Amino acid sequence: MKLVIAGGKGGVGKSMLASSLAILFSKERKIVACDCDVDAPNLGLWLGVTKYDKIVKKVSLSEKAHIINEKACIGKLKPSDCKFGALKVKNGKLWVNPFLCEGCGVCKLICEEGIKIEPVENGEIRVARTRYGFILFSAQLYPGEKGSGKIVEELRHYAEESGEFIILDAAAGIGCPVIASLRGVDHAVMVTEPTLSALSDLKRILKIVTYFKIPYDIVINKYDINERITRRIEEKFKEKVIGKISYSKDVINALVHFKPVIELENNISRKVNQIFKRLKEKLNL
Amino acid sequence: MKTYASSGTKGGVGKSTFAVLLALKLARDGKRVLLLDADVECPNDHLLLNQKLNKPISFTYQEFPEIVEEKCKKCGICAKVCRQHAIFHVPNKYPIIFHELCSGCGACKVACPFNAIVMKKEISGEIFVNKFNSTIWLVSGLSKPGIAETGLIVKQVKEYALNLAKEKRVDYLIIDTAPGIHCNVIQALLGADKVYAVTEPTPLGAHDLGILLSLTRKLGIRSEIVLNKAGIGDKSLIENVSKRFNVPITVEIPYDEELFRAYSEGKLAEFADKIKLVIG
C-alpha cells in the first residue's frame, strides 16, 4: 500500500496529518514514512526527528556545463542557443549561469571543444528511526540545485524497498516533485482548508490525481475558520470528505514542543483518530 | 524600478499575504505597482484581492521536437544525445519522443545530421493581467496541469511582466514566488533587488527559513525576514536563524485570526488598513 498525503496549497496541514496517520498506522502494522517534500522537508520535525541517523546517499542526478575554452566558442555559440537562458555574455565574455543550466548539453553539441559537462551533487537522502519505531526517509535538495522530481523518485525507491506500507507526504504545488510523489500510489488523502486559495489549488491538483486515476479522500483542516466555504467543499465533494479538523493555536504550540497533534488531549486528536478509522474502512484494512 | 520578491520555502507561511499587503501599502503611498504572481502551479494573489482572472492575454510555450519522417534516416543519434532519455530508438525504426520527459532543450535538433527534427511549440501555460484600483497591475501565470517543468513558464511570465512594468512605468515590481527552492522559485528570484523571506515562529518556519537564506546567499541577493503570525509560537527560533545568517527581521505581521478569515474570503484589501506593515 502506498498512501500519499497531498493537497496543492502549502501550509494546509499535510505533514501534520501525514505524521499523525503514520504514528496511528505504525501501532497496527510495519510502515515506512517518506517525506516527498525535498525542498522543505518537514515531516521529520512533526515526528520529533531533529537529526537524521545517517545520509544514505548523496544524489547526483544532473549535470552542468562549464566553459573551458572560450575562444573555441566565439562565432559558434550564442546566448540564444540555450533555451533555459543560462548562456550569458558578461563583460564581453561568455558565461554559464549555474542556477539556470539544465545540463542538456546543447552548448557542447554546438561547441565540442569549448564546453565541459560535469555531474553535480543535487541533494542527499537521509534516514532516521523515529521514536515510534518506524523508519523515516527524507531528502534535501541542495539550495541552488535542480532535480527535485528526480530526487523524489530516488527517495521513493529507497522507501519502497524498505517496506510494504508506505506513507508519503507530498510537497505543495502541482509540478515535477509533486507529480513524482503521486505516480503509482494506491490512494491519496487530500488535505485542504476553507479558503478560496486552498480550494482553487485543490481543484488544480485533483486534475493530476484523476489523470493518474488515484482514488482519493478529502480532509478539511481548520474547517471552522470559514464554515461557508467548508459547506461549499462538502457540497462539491460529498462523501469524499472523510473528516474535518477545527482551527486551533494548540497545533502551533504542539509543534514548538515537537509534539505530534495526536498526543494532544483535545478535539484535534479525537478528529484525527476518527479520520484514521474512516480511512481504514475506505481502504478495507 | 525596484524589484522585491516574497518567498518562503514553506507553504502557507504568508508569502502571498505579504506580497499583496506590500503591494497595497505601496499603492496607498502613491506608488505604481506591478504584482507578479509567479506561483504558476497554484496562483492565488487574485483570490486574495477578490478578483477573477480576466481572459488570458498571452500564453507561455514549451517546444517539443518532432521527427520529419521523409528526412529521418533512423540513425538514432537524437536518442543518444538526449540527456533526459526522452527519445527511444529501436534500430531501423523512427525514434519515439516522450513529451513528459522532454525538457525542450533542442539537443536532438542540433545533433541531427539530416535536419530531420523540427521544434514545435505547444502551449504550456497562460498569462493574465488584472487591474486593482488605479495603480496596481496584477500579472498571473497559470501552468497547464501535467506540465512538470514550471521554471520555464515562470521565466516567460516574468519576461511579460517586466515589459508591462516598463510600459506602465511602475515604481515597484513585487514578485510572489511558489513555495520550495527549485527551478520555478529560482527563476522568480533571479534579478530581484531584495528578497523578503517570509516565515512563522515555529520549528518548521525556522528550518525552512534557513534553507531559503542559504539559497539567497548563493544567488547573491540581499534578504530580509518577514515574521508572520508574530506573537504565537516561539520567536527566538527565528531570531536564531536571523543571527546565524546575519539577516535582519524587518517586518512583523501580528498573529490575528481575523486576518486569516479575511484571507479565506479574499478580503485582504479591506483588512489592509488595519495592519500596520512596518517596513524597516
Side-chain angles (χ1 to χ4, degrees):
Chain A
M1 165 63 67
K2 288 170 217 148
L3 175 67
V4 70
I5 318 299
K9 181 164 160 41
V12 289
K14 292 182 292 295
S15 301
M16 181 272 288
L17 189 66
S19 59
S20 302
L21 291 176
I23 294 167
L24 291 169
F25 272 117
S26 75
K27 291 178 181 164
E28 298 180 359
R29 60 186 69 237
K30 184 179 178 284
I31 67 136
V32 176
C34 182
D35 187 354
C36 293
D37 188 346
V38 304
D39 287 47
N42 286 340
L43 184 59
L45 292 172
W46 277 109
L47 292 166
V49 174
T50 48
K51 244 188 142 176
Y52 289 88
D53 301 336
K54 67 170 186 189
I55 293 170
V56 183
K57 192 183 179 187
K58 297 227 174 189
V59 189
S60 177
L61 290 163
S62 59
E63 295 166 307
K64 271 181 192 170
H66 302 269
I67 294 174
I68 47 166
N69 181 352
E70 208 212 335
K71 274 197 190 126
C73 300
I74 294 170
K76 278 191 193 168
L77 198 58
K78 42 189 195 313
S80 60
D81 291 325
C82 176
K83 294 275 195 295
F84 306 102
L87 267 180
K88 311 254 180 198
V89 178
K90 204 171 160 185
N91 305 326
K93 283 191 95 170
L94 205 57
W95 173 69
V96 179
N97 184 336
F99 301 115
L100 295 175
C101 176
E102 292 270 342
C104 68
V106 162
C107 50
K108 191 172 171 62
L109 286 168
I110 295 170
C111 178
E112 171 68 36
E113 38 325 342
I115 302 281
K116 194 172 172 190
I117 308 274
E118 279 182 333
V120 286
E121 271 183 3
N122 313 65
E124 58 191 40
I125 292 174
R126 311 146 320 167
V127 66
R129 187 169 287 280
T130 63
R131 58 168 103 124
Y132 309 95
F134 62 86
I135 283 177
L136 164 71
F137 280 94
S138 162
Q140 176 70 60
L141 172 75
Y142 293 147
E145 297 304 335
K146 291 177 181 294
S148 45
K150 287 179 183 170
I151 295 178
V152 171
E153 283 168 19
E154 187 88 6
L155 173 70
R156 278 187 61 179
H157 177 75
Y158 276 96
E160 284 162 23
E161 269 197 343
S162 309
E164 297 279 310
F165 198 103
I166 322 284
I167 294 176
L168 307 115
D169 184 16
I174 61 166
C176 48
V178 178
I179 292 173
S181 314
L182 294 176
R183 198 174 279 134
V185 304
D186 301 300
H187 198 88
V189 176
M190 314 302 294
V191 185
T192 192
E193 63 183 24
T195 63
L196 295 175
S197 303
L199 184 53
S200 162
D201 299 351
L202 175 67
K203 288 179 191 159
R204 303 258 299 152
I205 194 171
L206 282 178
K207 286 189 182 158
I208 316 270
V209 170
T210 49
Y211 173 82
F212 282 135
K213 299 192 173 69
I214 304 168
Y216 69 90
D217 293 304
I218 292 173
V219 169
I220 308 175
N221 191 15
K222 314 173 196 173
Y223 80 92
D224 43 359
I225 203 78
N226 191 324
E227 305 217 22
R228 191 179 58 83
I229 300 178
T230 290
R231 274 196 300 280
R232 231 172 97 187
I233 299 171
E234 287 178 299
E235 278 158 22
K236 184 169 170 62
F237 294 103
K238 306 209 166 64
E239 73 282 355
K240 292 248 182 242
V241 178
I242 57 163
K244 296 188 283 185
I245 303 171
S246 53
Y247 180 66
S248 168
K249 272 197 288 187
D250 293 355
V251 175
I252 286 183
N253 289 323
L255 189 52
V256 169
H257 299 104
F258 296 104
K259 212 172 172 184
V261 291
I262 53 152
E263 287 178 14
L264 297 174
E265 281 182 24
N266 65 7
N267 199 21
I268 293 181
S269 59
R270 274 196 298 282
K271 285 285 178 187
V272 171
N273 271 290
Q274 278 172 19
I275 290 164
F276 173 62
K277 286 200 188 91
R278 284 290 302 279
L279 184 63
K280 278 201 298 181
E281 284 163 23
K282 287 250 185 170
L283 299 173
N284 296 320
L285 293 170
Chain B
M1 184 184 73
K2 288 258 180 259
T3 304
Y4 296 157
S6 175
S7 197
T9 315
K10 178 167 160 38
V13 284
K15 293 177 291 298
S16 300
T17 298
F18 175 71
V20 168
L21 289 176
L22 181 61
L24 289 167
K25 178 193 157 54
L26 291 167
R28 263 203 320 273
D29 293 348
K31 307 292 183 199
R32 296 160 70 84
V33 183
L34 194 151
L35 175 60
L36 166 60
D37 194 345
D39 184 357
V40 301
E41 294 175 25
C42 294
N44 295 140
D45 289 355
H46 62 288
L47 295 171
L48 303 191
L49 290 166
N50 206 14
Q51 294 219 340
K52 278 206 172 94
L53 290 174
N54 291 329
K55 287 228 162 68
I57 202 156
S58 185
F59 296 95
T60 66
Y61 296 93
Q62 188 172 338
E63 289 189 330
F64 292 104
E66 210 175 87
I67 309 286
V68 183
E69 294 194 350
E70 306 82 70
K71 289 187 181 173
C72 177
K73 305 269 192 265
K74 303 170 184 168
C75 68
I77 286 176
C78 53
K80 278 197 200 94
V81 301
C82 178
R83 288 168 191 260
Q84 294 289 328
H85 309 293
I87 306 183
F88 181 66
H89 176 248
V90 184
N92 303 317
K93 290 258 166 72
Y94 291 117
I96 300 166
I97 295 159
F98 293 98
H99 278 202
E100 60 274 26
L101 296 174
C102 175
S103 71
C105 69
C108 49
K109 179 181 156 63
V110 172
C112 176
F114 310 107
N115 282 325
I117 292 180
V118 289
M119 299 301 282
K120 286 257 167 88
K121 273 185 176 181
E122 277 181 28
I123 289 176
S124 60
E126 297 166 315
I127 303 174
F128 304 85
V129 177
N130 279 47
K131 191 87 190 282
F132 190 80
N133 294 343
S134 55
T135 52
I136 300 179
W137 286 265
L138 170 66
V139 175
S140 309
L142 185 70
S143 70
K144 203 169 118 185
I147 296 272
E149 284 280 346
T150 52
L152 276 178
I153 301 176
V154 175
K155 179 172 182 272
Q156 294 168 61
V157 177
K158 194 170 159 186
E159 278 162 10
Y160 184 92
L162 283 167
N163 283 330
L164 188 69
K166 227 182 244 169
E167 188 192 311
K168 302 291 180 194
R169 293 172 287 107
V170 308
D171 304 300
Y172 289 91
L173 171 63
I174 309 293
I175 303 178
D176 182 21
T177 81
I181 50 162
H182 63 271
C183 40
N184 51 346
V185 176
I186 293 174
Q187 282 284 4
L189 295 178
L190 283 174
D193 297 306
K194 180 160 71 178
V195 175
Y196 282 106
V198 185
T199 189
E200 61 177 33
T202 66
L204 309 187
H207 174 260
D208 295 352
L209 175 64
I211 296 170
L212 176 60
L213 295 181
S214 305
L215 176 66
T216 53
R217 182 188 273 174
K218 263 195 163 178
L219 297 176
I221 309 175
R222 189 160 67 92
S223 356
E224 289 174 15
I225 297 168
V226 176
L227 180 62
N228 190 16
K229 304 180 193 169
I232 53 166
D234 182 357
K235 187 181 172 182
S236 71
L237 295 166
I238 304 304
E239 287 168 335
N240 290 341
V241 183
S242 165
K243 268 184 219 134
R244 183 149 56 90
F245 285 87
N246 196 21
V247 171
I249 303 172
T250 55
V251 185
E252 290 194 20
I253 305 174
Y255 174 83
D256 187 345
E257 243 181 74
E258 284 311 308
L259 174 65
F260 190 23
R261 273 181 232 284
Y263 170 98
S264 76
E265 304 233 297
K267 291 180 179 157
L268 225 45
E270 290 171 27
F271 202 84
D273 292 324
K274 293 185 196 160
I275 301 180
K276 273 201 203 98
L277 202 62
V278 183
I279 312 280

